[in-house]
Amino acid sequence: MSFPMQQVECPNQDRQIIPVEFLVLHYTATDLSNTLAIFQDDQRGVSSHMVIDVDGMVYSLVDCLQGQAYRAWHAGRSIYVDDEKAWSGFNDFSLGIELVNTNGNIFPFTDAQYQSLAAVVLLLKQHYPSLMSPSRILGHEHIAGYRGKVDPGYCFDWDRFWPMCYPDAQTPERQSVCPEALRVKASAMAAFSPDDPHENAQFWMHISALMEAAVELAQMDQP
């Protein structure tokens, strides 16, 4: 399984080799051009190892595809507890893949994205033994939902993804952390999105930020 790829320079990384224990999936909350501009802006301080556009093109920003991974800045404050231990600080031991989607809780991902993502994961499994287990594939929402992260979101089809990469394995259940009521209200905003592609991307960045703030507040209110 192969995939189309372009290399992109990215200053937001640490040139230190990290162990790869997990793969974390994200959505970009904006279009491709804004995504790459953000990751190439050294004032932003964010990045991911790869970005997969709607047409399936894979943009490699931080080295990891040859069996040696450098540290990207994709996870932020992050915590996850599994049967082994409590993991924290996922930038130190995980790969991050961004799927271009203005809001993965509202809009579906494309066939081309699933195909390229599956091809990438199959390659990564050859290099990083931990990724042989589907339990090591997480969404950003599963490690940072407590601070409002809601990606890859409700529309990411885990039931489609699992058989493509782990056809013979027992796979975990991955639930969206975005509340249904919030998702429905945000979906209604699609009627007000601008026609201009640039303005549309900015509009959905704003909506995604509001959704994250709402989820974070809801988490803080829980006992």
Side-chain angles (χ1 to χ4, degrees):
M1 229 175 163
S2 60
F3 51 89
M5 189 183 76
Q6 293 186 26
Q7 193 77 32
V8 176
E9 293 296 325
C10 177
N12 300 330
Q13 59 178 288
D14 297 308
R15 299 300 288 180
Q16 66 182 60
I17 299 172
I18 60 169
V20 176
E21 298 290 349
F22 290 88
L23 171 64
V24 180
L25 302 180
H26 308 252
Y27 71 72
T28 59
T30 188
D31 60 10
L32 176 67
S33 61
N34 277 333
T35 298
L36 296 182
I38 289 169
F39 288 166
Q40 292 180 295
D41 183 351
D42 60 9
Q43 299 301 307
R44 297 280 192 137
V46 291
S47 62
S48 69
H49 289 89
M50 283 168 278
V51 174
I52 302 180
D53 197 12
V54 294
D55 63 358
M57 178 63 72
V58 176
Y59 295 85
S60 175
L61 287 86
V62 180
D63 290 346
C64 69
L65 290 171
Q66 305 300 319
Q68 180 172 280
Y70 290 102
R71 187 177 184 272
W73 306 341
H74 66 98
R77 289 183 291 110
S78 43
I79 300 172
Y80 182 72
V81 180
D82 62 11
D83 293 336
E84 296 182 26
K85 65 177 186 178
W87 303 83
S88 63
F90 270 67
N91 284 343
D92 293 337
F93 50 79
S94 72
L95 305 179
I97 297 180
E98 292 271 358
L99 301 167
V100 175
N101 187 316
T102 48
N103 193 301
N105 289 288
I106 300 172
F107 303 111
F109 298 86
T110 68
D111 291 343
Q113 284 178 311
Y114 284 107
Q115 292 295 328
S116 287
L117 176 61
V120 167
V121 172
L122 292 175
L123 175 60
L124 294 174
K125 286 168 61 178
Q126 297 176 30
H127 292 308
Y128 307 109
S130 291
L131 301 186
M132 294 297 291
S133 171
S135 66
R136 295 304 184 93
I137 313 298
L138 297 165
H140 198 196
E141 58 196 321
H142 304 123
I143 64 172
Y146 69 95
R147 59 184 182 90
K149 299 304 177 183
V150 290
D151 53 319
Y154 175 87
C155 294
F156 185 79
D157 192 344
W158 289 97
D159 289 336
R160 177 178 181 179
F161 168 74
W162 292 132
M164 299 174 77
C165 301
Y166 301 93
D168 302 317
Q170 183 176 356
T171 54
E173 186 173 357
R174 296 283 184 247
Q175 295 287 344
S176 168
V177 304
C178 184
E180 178 66 8
L182 177 60
R183 189 183 73 81
V184 170
K185 289 181 179 179
S187 297
M189 297 301 295
F192 303 97
S193 58
D195 293 329
D196 179 84
H198 178 72
E199 291 183 3
N200 183 277
Q202 296 295 327
F203 174 86
W204 285 109
M205 284 182 72
H206 182 62
I207 296 299
S208 291
L210 290 175
M211 290 177 69
E212 289 187 4
V215 171
E216 183 175 18
L217 284 172
Q219 295 283 345
M220 292 172 62
D221 289 340
Q222 292 183 6

